[in-house]
Amino acid sequence: MWRQTEPVSRRLAERLAAQPGDVVLDLACGMGDTGFLVARSIAPDGRVLATDFSPEMLDRARRNAAEQGAENVEFRLLDAEDMDLPDDSVDGVVCRFGYMLMGDPVRALRETRRVLCDGGRVAFAVWAAPQENLWAALPALELITRGHVPPPEPGDPGIFAMADPARIADAPERAGFADHSVEQVAFDWRYEGPDEHWELTLKLAGPLADALGELPEEERAQIRQSVSERIGAILAGRGSVPALVHVVTAS
Ligand SMILES: C[S@@+](CC[C@H](N)C(=O)[O-])C[C@H]1O[C@@H](n2cnc3c(N)ncnc32)[C@H](O)[C@@H]1O
């Protein structure tokens, strides 16, 4: 996953433009790789505080850091919507694929602004529209059209919750950021075939995997077949499945 999504993290690091000696907060860090990328660019004096509210994720990130020899990274259990950090305590914040999953992204962005020092910057990535991300949209749509999960209500947290450019523009403004910019970063999922797509997507999208896990075997198999046919056709046509991400910078 890291190999294929790395272009998004590289752009985030470019936009953040952290300087040697800075303290950078990685919010909702998951496996931690985006923070490690930033950490390398500000070593040895700068440091990254890698945070997530899931202890299991943070443990995995810690092991990942040890494997990669990332030394200037510290880890802390932290809820992005209610940060146990002082005001004005970090120079930059990076968050890849996090805010759209939070109950109240504006609250999390307000917290982000509070902990940023004056002139500090946040760079974050959220998924663009479902039609630009069929790798995730096709399984979700299949579950919705078959009546297994309700369509998401506007404002519900989820993978596409901040896909609408209007919502993106609105969130940093309501959180009190002085200015922001949005750009798109495209990359390709290079699956070996529909089976790899299915397995990787289910690992990435927990709620999808949970919903499928509750269905009878036969129904699950039908959904997998239908999705795999469409993914297979895209792979046959272009050799990869496209993905699109909004990268937002606010200061
Ligand atoms: C899709 S993963 C992204 C992980 C990583 N940033 C990446 O790009 O690979 C989302 C992460 O957000 C974390 N998360 C969701 N809501 C959070 C919150 N309110 N505070 C902290 N972490 C949160 C989850 O535990 C999960 O690790």
Side-chain angles (χ1 to χ4, degrees), residues 1 28-30 34 52-54 57 78-81 96-98 101-102:
M1 180 194 168
C29 71
T34 301
D52 200 289
F53 74 175
S54 153
M57 275 303 203
L78 188 91
D79 184 344
E81 293 185 67
R96 192 182 82 155
F97 308 143
L101 301 178
M102 295 173 194

Side-chain angles (χ1 to χ4, degrees), residues 206-220:
L208 213 66
D210 288 348
L212 279 160
E214 284 172 15
L215 300 178
E217 181 59 44
E218 197 182 326
E219 180 71 3
R220 227 174 21 233

Side-chain angles (χ1 to χ4, degrees), residues 1-2 4-5 31 57 96-97 100-101 127 135-136 159 187 189 191 196-209:
M1 180 194 168
W2 172 247
Q4 310 198 43
T5 57
M31 302 267 290
M57 275 303 203
R96 192 182 82 155
F97 308 143
M100 76 279 171
L101 301 178
W127 295 103
W135 61 276
I159 179 166
F187 72 93
W189 290 111
Y191 308 113
E196 194 188 4
H197 161 264
W198 184 257
E199 277 148 30
L200 186 60
T201 302
L202 258 53
K203 280 185 193 159
L204 285 180
L208 213 66

Side-chain angles (χ1 to χ4, degrees), residues 12-33:
L12 284 171
E14 279 164 27
R15 290 293 175 242
L16 190 65
Q19 301 299 310
D22 278 359
V23 176
V24 173
L25 173 64
D26 182 1
L27 272 184
C29 71
M31 302 267 290
D33 298 275

Side-chain angles (χ1 to χ4, degrees), residues 219-230:
E219 180 71 3
R220 227 174 21 233
Q222 281 176 18
I223 293 173
R224 179 173 181 162
Q225 189 183 347
S226 165
V227 171
S228 293
E229 277 168 12
R230 296 200 52 195

